[in-house]
Each structure stands twice: as C-alpha cells, then as structure tokens.
Amino acid sequence: MAATANANAKHMMLMMLSASISLLVSSRCASLSAKRLLYNQYPTRSQTLVRSACTGITTDTSKKKKKEKGLAKEKRRTRSLRDGDIHILKDEDDDSSSSSTVMMQQSHIPVMLGEVLDVFSSNLKPLSSFVDCTLGAAGHASAIIQSHPELKLFIGMDVDPLALRMARSRINAAISHSHPHPNFQALTFVKNFRHIRSLLTQVDHISSGVDGILMDLGMSSMQVNNPARGFSVLANGPLDMRMDPQASLKAEDILNSWPDSEVGRILRDYGEERNWRLLQNKIVQARLQGGLHSTGELVDVIRSATLGTKGGRQGWIKTATRVFQALRIAVNDELKTLEDSLHACFDCLAPGGRLAVISFHSLEDRIVKQAFLKIIGEEVRNSIRKVEGGEDEKELWIRQTIQGSNGTILTKRPITPSEKEEGFNRRSRSAKLRVIQKL
C-alpha cells in the first residue's frame, strides 16, 4: 500500500509539474517548487509521501545527469577500432637470479600495441629506420622489429639502465624469431629522449632523418612494482622517484628542502590537486617532526589530510596518486623535457616520417596536442579534413586530420584503447595516442 501511495504521489507531482510549473521537470528547482505547491494543497498526513516522491524525482534526475555525462564523455572519445589483441611478453631466455631481474621478468603488456603497429605499418613509406624514445621493456620495439623485415636500423633509448638491459635481451629474441634485413642494426643507448637530435648525429646512414619515432610516456610495470624506486603508492619504499638512477634530485629533497610555496605549486600544477594547500601545510608540519623519508610516511600524511572526505579508501588512494604524479613530474622535469623533445623528434623525421606519442594524463596530452599544432604551422583552423572510412583500407584508424604547412596531424582527436584492452589492462584506461606526419 505504501509503495502504491508513494508511486501515486510521485505521478501526481509529475502531472502538476507539467501542467502548473514553467520549469523543466528534470530540474531540481522544479521538484522543490512542486514540493511547496503540494504541501499547501495536501493535508499533513500526505506530506511524508510528497517528500518521498520529491526525493525520488531528485535522485532519478541526478542518476540521469551522471549517465548523460558519461555518454557525452564516451561520445567525445575516439575509440580504437581494434578488438584489443593481447600481447604479453615474457623474458624466457634470461635465467639471471638477481632480485631486480626477477622483478622485471613479470609479464609485460605494452599499451595500444596493435594501434602502434597500424600507425607504422599502414604508411606508404617503407620503415627502414625507427627510434623508440622510451624503450622500457621493449614491448613495442620487439613487435616493430618482427613486423618490418625491411627495417635496417633500430635505435632504442631509455634513461633506466636496468630496463635497457632487459630490453636488449628481448630485442635479441625478437631478431632471432624474425627475418630481419641483411644489414639490420639494433642500437640501444642509456639516454633521455631530450638528447635525440645530438644522438642521431652520431649514427651513420640517417642524414636524411628517420622514418618512425615512438614515445610511450607511461610508467612501466617493472618500475611501478619495484618499491625501491619509490613510484608505488601501496608499497613502502624510499622517496626516490628518479627515472634516471644517476640523477641527483629525489622526491625526498623536494618534500624536505624546497620552499613551502614551491611544494604547493607542484601539487597544484603537476598533480591538479584541489586540496594542495592543506597537503602543503601537512608536509610542512611533518618537516618539524623529522621530515619525510619513505613513501609510507608520505602516504600517512596524505591519509591524515583526507580524513572525513568522501570516497573512503579509494578517496585517499586517488589523492595519493595525484601527489605521487606531481612529485615524479618535478623530480624528472617531465613536462619541459616533453615539450622540447617533441619539436626535436619532429625535426629528426625524414619526409613522410611519423611521430607517435602515447600519453597518460591530461597535462601530457595537452602539451602533445599544442606542440603538434605549433609544429605543423600557424594557420590550421580551416584545414581540418574528415577521412571517409573507405578512403584507404590500410588507414582505417585515421578519422580526421589537420593539415599544416610543415606536416599533418593524423589524429585530430587522440585514439584511446578499445574497451577490450581496458578490460584486461587497467593501466591502459587513460592512454591517448596522437600521431603527426612530416611533409
């Protein structure tokens, strides 16, 4: 009976809203206006039903808005057309027993591997030279080598010597399982990609530029899963966060020695953290008690600053993730390095060559987008072209392009992973792939 009465009250409210109130039924204001109107017309014993009905309408409206927001966000995404092929690479030939090597022998899933292969396989220009600026575990590199028997020169760069050692073994395995060009060379360097221009001048036979360059800006699993590196929110370790172990600046130095205002700026600008001022004050207080020297101590500070906020465990973990991201960016000067390197990479391309960049957060993606627009030329507003699906069967991944005087942006909107890939590789969910081609 109560449920029927409640439903009748809600139905009457909707009827009166549509007949008597000029506001939209879906708005909160309309439900509040209807509440006042019905309170005046109905006896006291009916007000409980009216209140319940109003709450129901408001709740329905809130759910509808959230659903519409999610659909709108999904509509703006350019999903990959691939079915999310799973590519897991295991370092089966390395029998080293060191703990660091064992840590790195875990299964590795390169993000958007199929999409990267499409970018460099569908181009009409043969791929005779290729540079992987972020070699990591060589997941993308191994696949590129195996997919391109015409490849004569492969160059891999990484600032992490431990990752590079693992990558070399996987590249050798890829070569042994493929049919490389008779003159094929694979060179690896412990270098930051900011040095790509000077590095390539030292390599023979590429005076006219390289045919393909890849930058995967994400953290590799082997780095995140190693507590000694200081990147993990959930595992205690030193406050390090250096991508290059030879670098001098650590996260511990920033937290304990840098000016308060600079720590706040890092949290605000690099972590996009709303409660940056509160966290800044908590960090300053921790300095007075001996400072912060481990990731566990930093997490405790973050948890104390998020007590009473919504989200429970997920709430403080998300805050901690943003704080760790901010510190990592500051320690490695990632954003300035990225911006400078994008222009350098484009300059190193041969005519018709392609640069593909996979970013993982909005700060990186914004820099890539703006840098690409600057690179191709000043006037691009009237040069957007929609590519029809049947225009080139090998280039189905290209939806809209932006033509400039120096090059073409092949991804007006970034390509995001397929739903299937997001399902089996959670770390791919925030990935965005942008591609530019040199004229």
Side-chain angles (χ1 to χ4, degrees), residues 116-163:
V116 168
L117 291 177
D118 286 344
V119 167
F120 295 108
S121 297
S122 59
N123 195 3
L124 297 176
K125 181 180 178 62
L127 194 72
S128 60
S129 54
F130 185 85
V131 178
D132 190 335
C133 290
T134 48
L135 190 55
H140 294 105
S142 300
I144 288 287
I145 291 171
Q146 290 178 317
S147 302
H148 291 274
E150 78 278 16
L151 189 64
K152 297 178 183 178
L153 177 64
F154 171 86
I155 297 175
M157 305 171 64
D158 205 293
V159 295
D160 188 342
L162 200 60

Side-chain angles (χ1 to χ4, degrees), residues 224 227 231-237 295-296 299 303 313-314 316-317 320-321 324:
V224 175
F231 295 118
S232 176
V233 172
L234 300 178
N236 191 29
T295 56
V299 167
R303 294 185 70 170
R313 183 174 186 268
Q314 288 300 316
W316 73 258
I317 287 179
T321 300
F324 275 56

